Amino acid sequence: MASVSASHLILFIASVLVAASVAGTITNTVGRLSDGVSDQGDALSQDVRTDVEIISDSGAQIYNRSDNQNVTLLMKNTGSRVLPANGDQMVILLDGVLQSPLEVTVIEGQDPDSWRPGDVVRVEFGAPDLDAGDHRIKVTVNGDEEVFRFNV
């Protein structure tokens, strides 16, 4: 009878040790998963708070307005996040070709270095020898994408 109780005691201690090690591993994994989800949620929150609109009139002349072969876009920050007014967080594709450098100027706002919610900026970039016809501009700012079509 004593040998049965000793074997049961050994099995009980072994199962408690296995359960404790499994619980420790699961707790560590859940903690890392929770941290990852939290980080991803923070990044997504920043993206959701970023919203811009291209307010240029597609019927107006946006190309070569000053005989300098530049494209000029007016954009408004309609999100709730303050963006830098330097083009660092902005990617512009003209007919699928990356455009740089970008000249960003706050034209309706209080701070020339910050693109605050409600502020309007003028974005200019060179596009020498742009062919006549239809063109497409895709602007991406912190994950927010806008498409603008115009005709030269």
Side-chain angles (χ1 to χ4, degrees):
M1 185 67 102
S3 65
V4 172
S5 345
S7 64
H8 282 151
L9 183 61
I10 291 172
L11 288 175
F12 175 73
I13 292 172
S15 62
V16 167
L17 289 174
V18 169
S21 65
V22 168
T25 302
I26 289 175
T27 302
N28 187 22
T29 302
V30 168
R32 286 186 306 183
L33 183 62
S34 173
D35 291 343
V37 169
S38 178
D39 292 344
Q40 193 172 21
D42 291 342
L44 184 60
S45 171
Q46 293 295 326
D47 288 348
V48 168
R49 292 176 39 204
T50 302
D51 190 23
V52 298
E53 295 293 327
I54 299 173
I55 60 172
S56 292
D57 183 6
S58 62
Q61 181 180 0
I62 68 163
Y63 177 67
N64 205 20
R65 291 176 61 176
S66 307
D67 288 332
N68 56 4
Q69 295 188 338
N70 277 358
V71 172
T72 304
L73 290 176
L74 296 177
M75 298 176 58
K76 184 172 187 173
N77 183 351
T78 56
S80 61
R81 181 172 182 221
V82 176
L83 302 168
N86 56 16
D88 286 349
Q89 297 178 354
M90 188 180 302
V91 175
I92 294 184
L93 301 174
L94 172 61
D95 296 330
V97 178
L98 180 65
Q99 301 299 309
S100 67
L102 304 175
E103 184 180 325
V104 180
T105 307
V106 177
I107 60 171
E108 226 178 83
Q110 299 170 349
D111 184 1
D113 297 323
S114 298
W115 187 13
R116 299 186 181 282
D119 288 356
V120 175
V121 296
R122 179 177 44 244
V123 180
E124 293 181 305
F125 57 90
D129 305 322
L130 192 61
D131 296 332
D134 293 332
H135 298 279
R136 180 178 182 261
I137 295 175
K138 181 178 180 181
V139 178
T140 305
V141 180
N142 277 2
D144 180 45
E145 296 179 353
E146 297 295 321
V147 175
F148 182 75
R149 290 177 171 78
F150 68 100
N151 194 332
V152 174

